[in-house]
């Protein structure tokens, strides 16, 4: 009996030695699980486009740009913002601290077509139009394509957000013909949201209307003379949040004035100015203008076109520009930049916008 037990023990020891020398054939459950987890996955998870939300530096508005490849080229300069993507186009935002006037608001598709015709007569087709309203704003959307080779884009999108106290105008000019990219820009434009009222923020000059005219009633009475707050020596009995005001002399030069400690508006030379409804006057009786003077008698009221051969206008710095067409149909200014014209103003090749 003892020999049988000894023999069984030897058999167990022998089998264990063989297992150690040759390796066990069956894998443990843990090893199998590790092998399965290391196997390549055949299903790929769908990735959503990275959202590119831009919020203005004053947190007054936001816009969802089509993707992260869109970059800002202008941020808050003269109440304007601009974004671009190479090979696709540009999106521009223009803020006014007053409502857009009724004549510049399309209340129907026919009126939207008329506004496109002010850019260039019969140059646009397949016009889209939509008007909507929220509790705080009226929303106007209109867009169209163009085959006109004189225009530097193939698709134009306009979106006006008109609140009770201020307005934003968005303009997208697209050079791409890709339908998905065009739709992405349309979605971006209509994603624009006003986050807070910015109508009373400090800004150069007085509140500007959408047609480029100035609202100067804050320093004048109803008869057009100086108000009780504008003294004869240029001083003011009330404070202001404005950082500066600007206007133009007879030669089209821009004059900047700043509030001084004595309550007067003075330029860098110390000259004091009085602001009236229809213009500005210094203490020596010299008169100045809120808008650049027009030198061409044949200039058009809408787009400053002096003739069929050239277009003349003033840029945002008050510089006089005369643009002519080159052999490719591009409008080239006397400063060497190329320009695109719209019903609201002029955009140069650097993305800078100037109203008419």
């Amino acid at each position: 009996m003892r020999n049988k037990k000894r023999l069984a023990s030897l058999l167990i020891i022998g089998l264990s030695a063989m297992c150690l020398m040759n390796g066990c054939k069956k894998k443990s459950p843990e090893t199998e699980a590790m092998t399965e987890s290391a196997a390549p996955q055949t299903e790929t998870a769908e990735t959503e486009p990275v959202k590119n939300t831009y919020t203005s530096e004053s947190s007054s508005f936001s816009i969802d740009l089509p993707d992260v490849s869109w970059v800002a080229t202008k941020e808050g300069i003269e109440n304007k913002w601009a974004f671009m993507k190479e090979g696709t186009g540009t999106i521009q935002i223009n803020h006014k601290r007053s409502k857009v006037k009724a004549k510049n608001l399309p209340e129907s598709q026919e009126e939207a077509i008329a506004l496109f015709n002010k850019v260039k007569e019969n140059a646009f087709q397949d016009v889209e139009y939509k008007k909507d309203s929220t509790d705080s704003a009226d929303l106007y959307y209109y867009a169209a394509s163009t085959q006109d080779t004189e225009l530097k884009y193939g698709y134009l999108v306009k979106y006006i957000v008109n609140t009770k106290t201020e307005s934003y105008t968005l303009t997208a000019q697209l050079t791409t013909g890709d339908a998905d990219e065009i739709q992405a820009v349309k979605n971006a434009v209509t994603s624009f949201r006003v986050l807070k009222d910015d109508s009373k923020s400090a800004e150069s000059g007085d509140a500007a209307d959408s047609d480029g005219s100035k609202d100067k009633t804050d320093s004048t009475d109803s008869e057009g003379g100086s108000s009780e707050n504008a003294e004869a020596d240029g001083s003011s009995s009330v404070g202001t949040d404005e950082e500066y005001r600007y206007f133009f002399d007879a030669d089209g030069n821009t004059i900047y004035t700043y509030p001084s400690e004595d309550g007067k508006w003075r330029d860098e030379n110390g000259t004091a100015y009085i602001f009236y409804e229809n213009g500005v006057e210094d203490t020596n009786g010299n008169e100045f203008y809120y808008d650049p003077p027009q030198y061409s008698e044949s200039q058009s009221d809408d787009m400053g076109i002096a003739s069929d051969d050239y277009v003349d206008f003033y840029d945002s710095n008050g510089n006089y520009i005369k643009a002519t067409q080159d052999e490719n149909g591009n409008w080239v200014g006397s400063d060497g930049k190329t320009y695109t014209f719209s019903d609201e103003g002029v955009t140069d090749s650097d993305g800078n916008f100037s109203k008419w």
Side-chain angles (χ1 to χ4, degrees):
M1 186 69 179
R2 182 181 297 175
N3 290 335
K4 290 182 177 180
K5 289 183 178 180
R6 191 174 184 181
L7 181 59
S9 299
L10 291 173
L11 287 172
I12 292 172
I13 293 173
L15 289 172
S16 300
M18 291 177 63
C19 186
L20 289 172
M21 292 177 63
N22 299 326
C24 296
K25 299 298 182 179
K26 182 174 178 58
K27 295 180 181 179
S28 66
E30 182 179 355
T31 304
E32 289 181 348
M34 292 175 60
T35 304
E36 290 177 2
S37 64
Q41 300 292 326
T42 57
E43 295 182 3
T44 57
E46 295 183 2
T47 57
E48 295 182 357
V50 179
K51 194 174 183 180
N52 185 16
T53 300
Y54 175 88
T55 303
S56 65
E57 61 282 358
S58 62
S59 298
S60 57
F61 72 81
S62 69
I63 181 173
D64 296 333
L65 297 171
D67 54 58
V68 294
S69 58
W70 283 78
V71 296
T73 58
K74 178 185 288 189
E75 297 183 84
I77 301 174
E78 295 183 341
N79 289 324
K80 300 177 181 69
W81 292 259
F83 309 89
M84 73 165 293
K85 178 181 178 181
E86 191 69 32
T88 299
T90 61
I91 299 174
Q92 298 180 14
I93 302 173
N94 188 20
H95 176 223
K96 297 292 185 183
R97 290 182 170 87
S98 61
K99 298 177 66 175
V100 174
K101 289 188 175 180
K103 67 178 182 179
N104 295 320
L105 295 174
E107 298 293 343
S108 64
Q109 183 164 2
E110 290 71 23
E111 292 184 10
I113 294 173
L115 289 174
F116 277 131
N117 284 335
K118 292 181 68 175
V119 178
K120 189 169 185 182
E121 188 75 23
N122 299 323
F124 295 88
Q125 57 271 347
D126 301 324
V127 176
E128 301 175 37
Y129 169 79
K130 183 179 180 180
K131 179 185 176 182
D132 202 355
S133 297
T134 66
D135 293 338
S136 58
D138 292 325
L139 311 175
Y140 299 84
Y141 167 87
Y142 54 113
S145 62
T146 178
Q147 301 295 325
D148 197 306
T149 56
E150 292 184 358
L151 299 174
K152 296 173 64 176
Y153 50 85
Y155 212 95
L156 182 61
V157 181
K158 304 285 288 186
Y159 190 56
I160 300 174
V161 180
N162 208 32
T163 75
K164 298 177 181 178
T165 58
E166 59 185 340
S167 61
Y168 290 88
T169 300
L170 286 76
T171 303
Q173 296 178 350
L174 304 178
T175 55
T176 182
D178 185 271
D180 291 337
E181 284 195 300
I182 292 174
Q183 186 59 50
V185 172
K186 292 179 181 179
N187 295 340
V189 168
T190 54
S191 75
F192 182 89
R193 295 291 180 270
V194 178
L195 303 179
K196 69 177 183 180
D197 191 304
D198 197 26
S199 61
K200 295 180 175 59
S201 298
E203 178 56 30
S204 62
D206 300 304
D209 290 321
S210 63
D211 62 353
S213 63
K214 296 284 186 176
D215 176 13
K216 309 166 192 69
T217 57
D218 65 334
S219 61
T220 61
D221 58 24
S222 60
E223 298 300 323
S226 61
S227 70
E228 60 182 1
N229 293 330
E231 308 293 342
D233 60 355
S235 64
S236 174
S237 61
V238 296
T240 178
D241 290 331
E242 294 173 287
E243 296 177 358
Y244 60 89
R245 292 182 176 183
Y246 69 93
F247 46 90
F248 302 90
D249 63 16
D251 295 324
N253 300 310
T254 307
I255 310 296
Y256 289 91
T257 61
Y258 308 87
S260 57
E261 294 181 356
D262 58 5
K264 300 176 182 179
W265 287 93
R266 296 181 180 274
D267 63 17
E268 59 183 6
N269 298 318
T271 303
Y273 295 85
I274 308 168
F275 289 82
Y276 296 106
E277 182 177 4
N278 298 315
V280 183
E281 186 177 79
D282 66 15
T283 51
N284 296 319
N286 299 312
E287 296 182 350
F288 302 87
Y289 311 93
Y290 288 112
D291 298 309
Q294 305 298 317
Y295 293 111
S296 174
E297 294 182 357
S298 58
Q299 190 176 43
S300 167
D301 290 338
D302 288 331
M303 294 187 60
I305 299 178
S307 72
D308 294 336
D309 300 321
Y310 69 90
V311 178
D312 58 349
F313 54 90
Y314 291 89
D315 64 16
S316 58
N317 295 319
N319 301 312
Y320 176 75
I321 307 295
K322 182 176 181 180
T324 56
Q325 282 188 296
D326 61 15
E327 61 275 7
N328 297 320
N330 299 318
W331 288 97
V332 181
S334 51
D335 56 355
K337 298 180 181 180
T338 56
Y339 288 88
T340 303
F341 305 109
S342 70
D343 57 327
E344 293 181 340
V346 184
T347 304
D348 66 21
S349 49
D350 295 329
N352 301 311
F353 175 82
S354 305
K355 68 178 184 297
W356 293 113

